[in-house]
Amino acid sequence: VGRYSDAGADPAVAAITDPEGAAAVAGTDAEAAAAFSPGLHALYKALPPQPPATEAELAGGWAFSEAVYDHAARLPAAEVLSWAEPRLVLLRSFLSPGEVAHLVAAAQPALERSQVLAANETEEVNDVRTSFGAWPKLDPTLDAIYNRIHAAVGVPREFGEDMYVLNYKLGQRYDAHND
C-alpha cells in the first residue's frame, strides 16, 4: 500500500493528504483543522496494512472474533467511549482536514435524496429519511482511506463495504427504524 503523501506522489493527492497543506484546502472547517493532530494522524497512516483475505477466508473461513471486535480499541490513541455492544471507539485525527474536504468534494456532485428499503425489498424515497447521500468514486485518496480503515479495525477489505457519504442539513432526519 503506497502512502500518497510521500515524495514523488501525485501533487494533487499530496496536497490533500499533507497535514500542513490541509488548512489551505477550500471549505475546510477552521475549528476541525485547529483540533487536528498531525502526530496522531501519522500513527494511523503508519498502521501495517490489513493482509488480503485468503481463499479459505473468502470461502467462509474468516470469522468476526473478540480479537477483531477489540482491534481498534487497542490502537495507541484510541478512546473507547463504550465497552458495551456495540463497541464505540473514537480515533481523533484519523482523517486529515484535507482528506475530509476531499471526501466531501468527491461526494457532493453525486448527492441524491437518500432512499429506504421498502416492504417489497425495493428502494424508495420516503419522508422517514430526509438526508442526501452519495457513493463517491474510488480514487487514490479514498483508496488510502479505505486501507487505513481496514488496518484500524482489523477486518480484511474484501469484507468491507464501499463508503456512503450522507449530508444532513438542519432539520433533516432518519426516523427510528430496524435494519
Side-chain angles (χ1 to χ4, degrees):
V1 175
R3 289 182 37 203
Y4 296 101
S5 62
D6 289 347
D10 178 335
V13 175
I16 291 165
T17 60
D18 177 16
E20 282 73 16
V25 177
T28 299
D29 179 72
E31 187 176 320
F36 176 69
S37 167
L40 283 180
H41 185 65
L43 282 174
Y44 298 126
K45 287 181 75 173
L47 289 172
Q50 180 68 25
T54 65
E55 289 297 321
E57 289 171 331
L58 291 171
W62 186 83
F64 191 76
S65 65
E66 286 296 316
V68 173
Y69 193 67
D70 287 336
H71 188 85
R74 292 190 308 265
L75 294 176
E79 293 178 52
V80 178
L81 303 179
S82 172
W83 286 100
E85 290 187 20
R87 178 90 68 248
L88 184 58
V89 179
L90 175 62
L91 304 175
R92 294 184 192 276
S93 299
F94 188 79
L95 298 177
S96 73
E99 289 169 326
V100 172
H102 178 79
L103 186 55
V104 169
Q108 209 160 28
L111 287 173
E112 295 181 350
R113 178 76 187 273
S114 298
Q115 297 181 332
V116 296
L117 189 61
N120 64 2
E121 300 290 319
T122 63
E123 291 187 358
E124 67 181 22
V125 172
N126 188 299
D127 284 341
V128 302
R129 186 178 193 186
T130 58
S131 63
F132 287 76
W135 301 93
K137 291 186 174 140
L138 188 63
D139 63 27
T141 300
L142 295 180
D143 188 57
I145 292 169
Y146 281 135
N147 288 333
R148 194 178 322 138
I149 289 168
H150 286 279
V153 299
V155 175
R157 188 162 169 179
E158 294 84 353
F159 298 114
E161 296 179 354
D162 290 341
M163 195 175 310
Y164 187 64
V165 176
L166 287 168
N167 181 340
Y168 281 89
K169 300 205 182 301
L170 189 60
Q172 290 183 322
R173 68 189 184 289
Y174 196 175
D175 291 339
H177 63 284
N178 293 316
D179 285 342

